[in-house]
Amino acid sequence: MVGGNTRIGVVTFPGTLDDQDSLRAVRLAGAEPVSLWHRDKDLKQVDAVVLAGGFSYGDYLRAGAISRFSPVMETIIDQARAGLPVLGICNGFQILTESHLLPGAMLRNNHLHFICRDQRLRVENAGTAWTSDYEQGQEISVPLKNIDGRYVADERVLDELEAEGRVAFRYLGSNPNGSLRDIAGITNAEGNVVGLMPHPEHAVEPLIGTGRTDGLAFFTSVIKKLVTS
């Protein structure tokens, strides 16, 4: 099986909700899923890491702000800067911004309500470690569920993201949370760290989530990247 020797870790923090879904997505894509605990600095020799969705530490202070100081994040931050592929989904995206692995911040949705729906996205960057199995401009649909999902940054950062092609995904249709420039996900300059608010791990089997498998390519992309690099 392609990727059968690839190990992808999924971190569980107190309040994480979607770690099991992410582990299942990794398995369905063909890699070995590895559970990682927030208090353990050891990444167990994984080849990539997923920061799953949920409400780590109850989203006290700010969403992701406390998790950023968990022992596991010390290792993840160092290894991400050295090239380790890291995907942050929803709360994981919030943790990536709090960790300064990705720029900007996540604020409360502009309508101040929790939102849960299938969301259309456009793939803006198909050149990252997590998006190479998509086509540039491809439209996909994955579930979205958040209350602190509004992506914000100053104009200089936004212009830089646009100019460097680092907007990875953009919302299509009505903007669900007021994110600036309809940004649903971004990447770092090197393309190994990607964060997005929608949940690709809930769109990997035809019988659950959206009833489509549009999210599976996140996980097959990183496997192919790892086995060919």
Side-chain angles (χ1 to χ4, degrees), residues 53-142:
F55 302 91
S56 59
Y57 291 95
D59 279 352
Y60 293 119
L61 184 60
R62 290 184 311 274
I66 300 176
S67 295
R68 176 261 178 273
F69 294 101
S70 291
V72 72
M73 287 306 300
E74 295 181 31
T75 310
I76 289 173
I77 290 169
D78 287 343
Q79 293 200 19
R81 289 174 175 161
L84 179 76
V86 178
L87 175 66
I89 303 169
C90 196
N91 190 229
F93 187 11
Q94 295 160 345
I95 295 169
L96 289 177
T97 61
E98 291 289 339
S99 302
H100 305 296
L101 287 173
L102 292 175
M106 311 303 302
L107 300 181
R108 185 61 48 98
N109 295 344
N110 60 345
H111 45 71
L112 305 182
H113 295 289
F114 182 84
I115 187 169
C116 182
R117 74 184 197 193
D118 293 344
Q119 177 65 49
R120 291 171 55 235
L121 304 173
R122 182 171 60 242
V123 180
E124 301 282 28
N125 185 333
T128 79
W130 297 92
T131 60
S132 61
D133 266 359
Y134 293 108
E135 297 291 334
Q136 196 85 7
Q138 182 177 346
E139 296 184 10
I140 64 174
S141 178
V142 297

Side-chain angles (χ1 to χ4, degrees), residues 10-23 51-59 89-92 114 145-146 199 201-202:
V10 177
V11 180
T12 299
F13 299 92
T16 297
L17 300 179
D18 300 306
D19 46 348
Q20 295 304 310
D21 301 78
S22 297
L23 288 164
L51 301 177
F55 302 91
S56 59
Y57 291 95
D59 279 352
I89 303 169
C90 196
N91 190 229
F114 182 84
K145 51 176 186 174
N146 63 68
H199 287 262
E201 80 282 12
H202 294 327

Side-chain angles (χ1 to χ4, degrees), residues 45-57:
Q45 297 182 314
V46 298
D47 302 297
V49 168
V50 177
L51 301 177
F55 302 91
S56 59
Y57 291 95

